[in-house]
Amino acid sequence: MAVGIFDSGLGGLTVLRAIERRLPDLPLVYYGDNAHAPYGVRDADDIYQLTCKGVARLFDEGCDLVILACNTASAAALRRMQEEWVPADKRVLGVFVPLIEALTERKWGDRSPPREVAVKHVALFATPATVASRAFQRELAFRAIGVDVEAQPCGGVVDAIEMGDMILAEALVRSHVESLLRRMPNPDAAVLGCTHYPIVEDVFRDALGPDVRVFSQPTIVAESLADYLHRHPGLIGTGRERRFLTTGEPRAVSNKATLFMRRPVPFEQA
Ligand code: DGL
């Protein structure tokens, strides 16, 4: 048994890396649906079908707990999966709620009424599907009042990263940040609401300037998983297995992943 990590492509590796640092002995199986990335331009039903397929594959690998290390799937498919599809003996968790808990200074499971929090003006950067779902604003409204959110759909960034075109990714990030800053000139926090974006986090930070606090998911999610496994030790597998599955072309995906992770990441066909 291992913990499964699902993403549409390479972005979830940023979460996997943080989990490896926080929980070095945890057995992990990664699934990247690179053949169908990006998800951010697909409709909710399509994202639901593809996500269920990938998560089912991780269940087949013996994963009783799967992390959707993909905001787009978390925003567009997770609730429906939990209501209609996830078997009673399995768990599927998203990356959205831990991020919002961090932003609103809450501990896991704190269901107290919404209250004022330190951040007032939040810039959200995410895929078009995540922005369209308004899941971020909905989850935030359960926990905080008086927070103004300006969302920027960052079309093209995931595509560029998946293609390994970092020059294009950087140019697109700068133009998306500029476009958001025209509508919200002084955000006090920025949320990188896509697991691909930590790969270009330096560009976001540079374009946003030093006064904006950037919330990036990998360490937040790793911390929240450590806490979850502490409360559910039965879900920690045995061994120290690491496997990487892709629906794409394994050699090409391994090459790009190796570049991002700065170590060999040998993908197998899913
Ligand atoms: N890493 C996914 C996310 O967090 C990218 C989605 C996509 O494939 O567009 O949203």
Side-chain angles (χ1 to χ4, degrees):
M1 188 170 74
V3 172
I5 302 183
F6 169 93
D7 184 39
S8 60
L10 297 166
L13 290 173
T14 61
V15 174
L16 177 127
R17 180 166 50 195
I19 291 174
E20 282 182 337
R21 282 186 190 141
R22 180 66 181 79
L23 301 161
D25 295 325
L26 188 69
L28 297 167
V29 183
Y30 186 88
Y31 178 103
D33 192 8
N34 302 74
H36 302 105
Y39 278 15
V41 290
R42 294 177 181 274
D43 65 34
D45 199 51
D46 207 8
I47 295 168
Y48 174 79
Q49 302 299 343
L50 290 169
T51 306
C52 288
K53 194 165 173 216
V55 172
R57 179 72 174 82
L58 287 167
F59 289 162
D60 289 346
E61 285 297 319
C63 302
D64 287 341
L65 169 64
V66 174
I67 312 293
L68 294 189
C70 176
N71 292 269
T72 309
S74 303
L78 180 58
R79 186 186 287 191
R80 184 172 161 200
M81 288 171 77
Q82 286 169 334
E83 283 169 4
E84 298 177 7
W85 183 79
V86 179
D89 59 339
K90 306 282 185 197
R91 292 283 174 275
V92 180
L93 303 176
V95 284
F96 233 70
V97 168
L99 175 74
I100 290 172
E101 285 173 345
L103 190 73
T104 55
E105 307 143 33
R106 283 189 182 234
K107 288 214 182 322
W108 187 87
D110 174 353
R111 303 214 189 283
S112 59
R115 56 178 181 254
E116 292 224 22
V117 293
V119 292
K120 298 284 176 235
H121 304 284
V122 176
L124 167 67
F125 298 94
T127 66
T130 299
V131 170
S133 76
R134 299 189 62 79
F136 180 84
Q137 288 89 332
R138 196 174 51 236
E139 293 293 342
L140 189 64
F142 290 137
R143 296 168 177 85
I145 46 175
V147 183
D148 183 17
V149 177
E150 190 64 53
Q152 176 68 27
C154 297
V157 176
V158 169
D159 245 331
I161 292 173
E162 287 289 316
M163 287 183 311
D165 189 343
M166 302 315 286
I167 294 174
L168 176 60
E170 171 163 352
L172 286 169
V173 167
R174 288 191 188 280
S175 117
H176 287 306
V177 170
E178 210 175 283
S179 162
L180 186 137
L181 291 179
R182 274 201 293 273
R183 304 193 307 277
M184 179 184 270
N186 295 306
D188 40 28
V191 169
L192 305 190
C194 169
T195 54
H196 281 70
Y197 299 171
I199 293 170
V200 280
E201 187 168 329
D202 290 353
V203 186
F204 273 103
R205 285 184 186 275
D206 185 55
L208 284 161
D211 298 334
V212 182
R213 181 165 173 212
V214 175
F215 285 80
S216 174
Q217 279 171 321
T219 45
I220 294 170
V221 172
E223 205 46 60
S224 149
L225 176 63
D227 184 47
Y228 186 84
L229 290 174
H230 186 68
R231 285 180 281 111
H232 301 87
L235 291 168
I236 303 173
T238 48
R240 293 188 61 181
E241 180 190 33
R242 295 275 188 282
R243 288 186 62 205
F244 298 89
L245 309 176
T246 178
T247 55
E249 206 283 296
R251 186 140 33 135
V253 175
S254 303
N255 287 345
K256 281 177 214 154
T258 299
L259 221 65
F260 294 138
M261 299 282 276
R262 300 201 176 106
R263 66 155 211 251
V265 186
F267 272 87
E268 311 161 37
Q269 195 70 60

mmCIF file of all heavy atoms in Angstrom, residues 11-32:
data_model
loop_
_atom_site.group_PDB
_atom_site.id
_atom_site.type_symbol
_atom_site.label_atom_id
_atom_site.label_comp_id
_atom_site.label_asym_id
_atom_site.label_seq_id
_atom_site.Cartn_x
_atom_site.Cartn_y
_atom_site.Cartn_z
ATOM 1 N N GLY A 11 2.723 18.953 -12.732
ATOM 2 C CA GLY A 11 2.604 19.893 -11.618
ATOM 3 C C GLY A 11 2.585 19.225 -10.252
ATOM 4 O O GLY A 11 3.172 19.732 -9.290
ATOM 5 N N GLY A 12 1.932 18.065 -10.170
ATOM 6 C CA GLY A 12 1.831 17.379 -8.877
ATOM 7 C C GLY A 12 3.181 16.961 -8.332
ATOM 8 O O GLY A 12 3.310 16.656 -7.136
ATOM 9 N N LEU A 13 4.207 16.955 -9.192
ATOM 10 C CA LEU A 13 5.559 16.610 -8.695
ATOM 11 C C LEU A 13 6.041 17.639 -7.676
ATOM 12 O O LEU A 13 6.853 17.329 -6.821
ATOM 13 C CB LEU A 13 6.552 16.525 -9.866
ATOM 14 C CG LEU A 13 6.368 15.340 -10.825
ATOM 15 C CD1 LEU A 13 7.306 15.478 -12.020
ATOM 16 C CD2 LEU A 13 6.606 14.012 -10.114
ATOM 17 N N THR A 14 5.530 18.883 -7.770
ATOM 18 C CA THR A 14 5.936 19.901 -6.786
ATOM 19 C C THR A 14 5.392 19.510 -5.410
ATOM 20 O O THR A 14 6.044 19.732 -4.392
ATOM 21 C CB THR A 14 5.427 21.310 -7.174
ATOM 22 O OG1 THR A 14 3.989 21.315 -7.217
ATOM 23 C CG2 THR A 14 5.968 21.763 -8.519
ATOM 24 N N VAL A 15 4.210 18.888 -5.407
ATOM 25 C CA VAL A 15 3.607 18.427 -4.148
ATOM 26 C C VAL A 15 4.337 17.169 -3.674
ATOM 27 O O VAL A 15 4.665 17.031 -2.496
ATOM 28 C CB VAL A 15 2.092 18.170 -4.346
ATOM 29 C CG1 VAL A 15 1.476 17.558 -3.110
ATOM 30 C CG2 VAL A 15 1.384 19.470 -4.717
ATOM 31 N N LEU A 16 4.607 16.258 -4.621
ATOM 32 C CA LEU A 16 5.331 15.031 -4.265
ATOM 33 C C LEU A 16 6.680 15.361 -3.617
ATOM 34 O O LEU A 16 7.052 14.785 -2.591
ATOM 35 C CB LEU A 16 5.550 14.174 -5.512
ATOM 36 C CG LEU A 16 6.370 12.911 -5.262
ATOM 37 C CD1 LEU A 16 5.639 11.670 -5.763
ATOM 38 C CD2 LEU A 16 7.747 12.968 -5.910
ATOM 39 N N ARG A 17 7.374 16.341 -4.194
ATOM 40 C CA ARG A 17 8.707 16.697 -3.655
ATOM 41 C C ARG A 17 8.597 17.200 -2.207
ATOM 42 O O ARG A 17 9.384 16.821 -1.350
ATOM 43 C CB ARG A 17 9.346 17.761 -4.550
ATOM 44 C CG ARG A 17 10.717 18.197 -4.079
ATOM 45 C CD ARG A 17 11.455 18.972 -5.119
ATOM 46 N NE ARG A 17 10.667 20.048 -5.673
ATOM 47 C CZ ARG A 17 10.964 20.710 -6.789
ATOM 48 N NH1 ARG A 17 12.035 20.380 -7.480
ATOM 49 N NH2 ARG A 17 10.207 21.684 -7.224
ATOM 50 N N ALA A 18 7.571 18.028 -1.954
ATOM 51 C CA ALA A 18 7.397 18.548 -0.592
ATOM 52 C C ALA A 18 6.999 17.425 0.367
ATOM 53 O O ALA A 18 7.445 17.391 1.524
ATOM 54 C CB ALA A 18 6.348 19.652 -0.589
ATOM 55 N N ILE A 19 6.191 16.475 -0.119
ATOM 56 C CA ILE A 19 5.785 15.345 0.738
ATOM 57 C C ILE A 19 7.013 14.483 1.047
ATOM 58 O O ILE A 19 7.202 14.046 2.184
ATOM 59 C CB ILE A 19 4.665 14.510 0.060
ATOM 60 C CG1 ILE A 19 3.371 15.336 0.002
ATOM 61 C CG2 ILE A 19 4.433 13.193 0.796
ATOM 62 C CD1 ILE A 19 2.234 14.685 -0.776
ATOM 63 N N GLU A 20 7.855 14.272 0.050
ATOM 64 C CA GLU A 20 9.071 13.472 0.281
ATOM 65 C C GLU A 20 9.957 14.108 1.346
ATOM 66 O O GLU A 20 10.572 13.425 2.149
ATOM 67 C CB GLU A 20 9.877 13.359 -1.009
ATOM 68 C CG GLU A 20 9.326 12.343 -1.974
ATOM 69 C CD GLU A 20 10.193 12.233 -3.222
ATOM 70 O OE1 GLU A 20 10.933 13.189 -3.549
ATOM 71 O OE2 GLU A 20 10.121 11.203 -3.870
ATOM 72 N N ARG A 21 10.026 15.456 1.324
ATOM 73 C CA ARG A 21 10.864 16.140 2.313
ATOM 74 C C ARG A 21 10.267 16.009 3.719
ATOM 75 O O ARG A 21 10.980 15.810 4.687
ATOM 76 C CB ARG A 21 10.986 17.627 1.964
ATOM 77 C CG ARG A 21 11.968 17.838 0.851
ATOM 78 C CD ARG A 21 12.205 19.317 0.604
ATOM 79 N NE ARG A 21 12.975 19.469 -0.620
ATOM 80 C CZ ARG A 21 12.790 20.408 -1.522
ATOM 81 N NH1 ARG A 21 11.863 21.331 -1.338
ATOM 82 N NH2 ARG A 21 13.531 20.472 -2.599
ATOM 83 N N ARG A 22 8.942 16.141 3.786
ATOM 84 C CA ARG A 22 8.266 16.126 5.097
ATOM 85 C C ARG A 22 8.144 14.705 5.639
ATOM 86 O O ARG A 22 8.250 14.473 6.843
ATOM 87 C CB ARG A 22 6.888 16.780 4.940
ATOM 88 C CG ARG A 22 6.040 16.855 6.187
ATOM 89 C CD ARG A 22 6.665 17.770 7.228
ATOM 90 N NE ARG A 22 5.876 17.823 8.434
ATOM 91 C CZ ARG A 22 5.872 16.903 9.382
ATOM 92 N NH1 ARG A 22 6.634 15.825 9.251
ATOM 93 N NH2 ARG A 22 5.120 17.051 10.461
ATOM 94 N N LEU A 23 7.899 13.731 4.733
ATOM 95 C CA LEU A 23 7.636 12.335 5.136
ATOM 96 C C LEU A 23 8.534 11.414 4.312
ATOM 97 O O LEU A 23 8.062 10.719 3.396
ATOM 98 C CB LEU A 23 6.157 11.994 4.900
ATOM 99 C CG LEU A 23 5.127 12.868 5.636
ATOM 100 C CD1 LEU A 23 3.748 12.767 4.992
ATOM 101 C CD2 LEU A 23 5.045 12.476 7.101
ATOM 102 N N PRO A 24 9.843 11.418 4.585
ATOM 103 C CA PRO A 24 10.778 10.725 3.687
ATOM 104 C C PRO A 24 10.545 9.221 3.559
ATOM 105 O O PRO A 24 10.950 8.631 2.558
ATOM 106 C CB PRO A 24 12.161 11.010 4.308
ATOM 107 C CG PRO A 24 11.934 11.734 5.572
ATOM 108 C CD PRO A 24 10.492 12.125 5.689
ATOM 109 N N ASP A 25 9.875 8.598 4.532
ATOM 110 C CA ASP A 25 9.693 7.145 4.454
ATOM 111 C C ASP A 25 8.357 6.729 3.858
ATOM 112 O O ASP A 25 8.073 5.537 3.757
ATOM 113 C CB ASP A 25 9.815 6.526 5.854
ATOM 114 C CG ASP A 25 11.228 6.710 6.386
ATOM 115 O OD1 ASP A 25 12.170 6.660 5.576
ATOM 116 O OD2 ASP A 25 11.377 6.930 7.602
ATOM 117 N N LEU A 26 7.537 7.700 3.474
ATOM 118 C CA LEU A 26 6.186 7.358 3.012
ATOM 119 C C LEU A 26 6.231 6.761 1.599
ATOM 120 O O LEU A 26 6.750 7.386 0.669
ATOM 121 C CB LEU A 26 5.323 8.631 3.003
ATOM 122 C CG LEU A 26 3.830 8.443 2.735
ATOM 123 C CD1 LEU A 26 3.163 7.725 3.923
ATOM 124 C CD2 LEU A 26 3.157 9.799 2.511
ATOM 125 N N PRO A 27 5.666 5.547 1.405
ATOM 126 C CA PRO A 27 5.604 5.000 0.047
ATOM 127 C C PRO A 27 4.608 5.788 -0.806
ATOM 128 O O PRO A 27 3.508 6.106 -0.341
ATOM 129 C CB PRO A 27 5.146 3.548 0.250
ATOM 130 C CG PRO A 27 4.610 3.469 1.629
ATOM 131 C CD PRO A 27 5.118 4.634 2.418
ATOM 132 N N LEU A 28 4.989 6.103 -2.051
ATOM 133 C CA LEU A 28 4.172 6.976 -2.899
ATOM 134 C C LEU A 28 4.063 6.418 -4.322
ATOM 135 O O LEU A 28 5.045 5.888 -4.846
ATOM 136 C CB LEU A 28 4.822 8.367 -3.006
ATOM 137 C CG LEU A 28 4.950 9.179 -1.721
ATOM 138 C CD1 LEU A 28 5.882 10.371 -1.940
ATOM 139 C CD2 LEU A 28 3.594 9.664 -1.241
ATOM 140 N N VAL A 29 2.886 6.540 -4.914
ATOM 141 C CA VAL A 29 2.735 6.260 -6.343
ATOM 142 C C VAL A 29 2.158 7.514 -7.001
ATOM 143 O O VAL A 29 1.120 8.028 -6.561
ATOM 144 C CB VAL A 29 1.794 5.057 -6.621
ATOM 145 C CG1 VAL A 29 1.736 4.786 -8.124
ATOM 146 C CG2 VAL A 29 2.253 3.812 -5.879
ATOM 147 N N TYR A 30 2.849 8.008 -8.020
ATOM 148 C CA TYR A 30 2.432 9.226 -8.727
ATOM 149 C C TYR A 30 1.766 8.842 -10.044
ATOM 150 O O TYR A 30 2.222 7.931 -10.727
ATOM 151 C CB TYR A 30 3.673 10.080 -9.009
ATOM 152 C CG TYR A 30 3.358 11.430 -9.613
ATOM 153 C CD1 TYR A 30 3.090 12.510 -8.787
ATOM 154 C CD2 TYR A 30 3.332 11.623 -10.992
ATOM 155 C CE1 TYR A 30 2.799 13.759 -9.326
ATOM 156 C CE2 TYR A 30 3.038 12.866 -11.535
ATOM 157 C CZ TYR A 30 2.780 13.932 -10.688
ATOM 158 O OH TYR A 30 2.490 15.161 -11.217
ATOM 159 N N TYR A 31 0.690 9.565 -10.368
ATOM 160 C CA TYR A 31 0.018 9.352 -11.660
ATOM 161 C C TYR A 31 -0.123 10.704 -12.351
ATOM 162 O O TYR A 31 -0.778 11.610 -11.830
ATOM 163 C CB TYR A 31 -1.364 8.746 -11.419
ATOM 164 C CG TYR A 31 -2.211 8.500 -12.656
ATOM 165 C CD1 TYR A 31 -2.356 7.219 -13.186
ATOM 166 C CD2 TYR A 31 -2.898 9.537 -13.275
ATOM 167 C CE1 TYR A 31 -3.160 6.988 -14.302
ATOM 168 C CE2 TYR A 31 -3.695 9.315 -14.398
ATOM 169 C CZ TYR A 31 -3.820 8.031 -14.901
ATOM 170 O OH TYR A 31 -4.611 7.797 -16.003
ATOM 171 N N GLY A 32 0.504 10.857 -13.507
ATOM 172 C CA GLY A 32 0.367 12.082 -14.292
ATOM 173 C C GLY A 32 -0.398 11.763 -15.576
ATOM 174 O O GLY A 32 0.042 10.921 -16.364
#
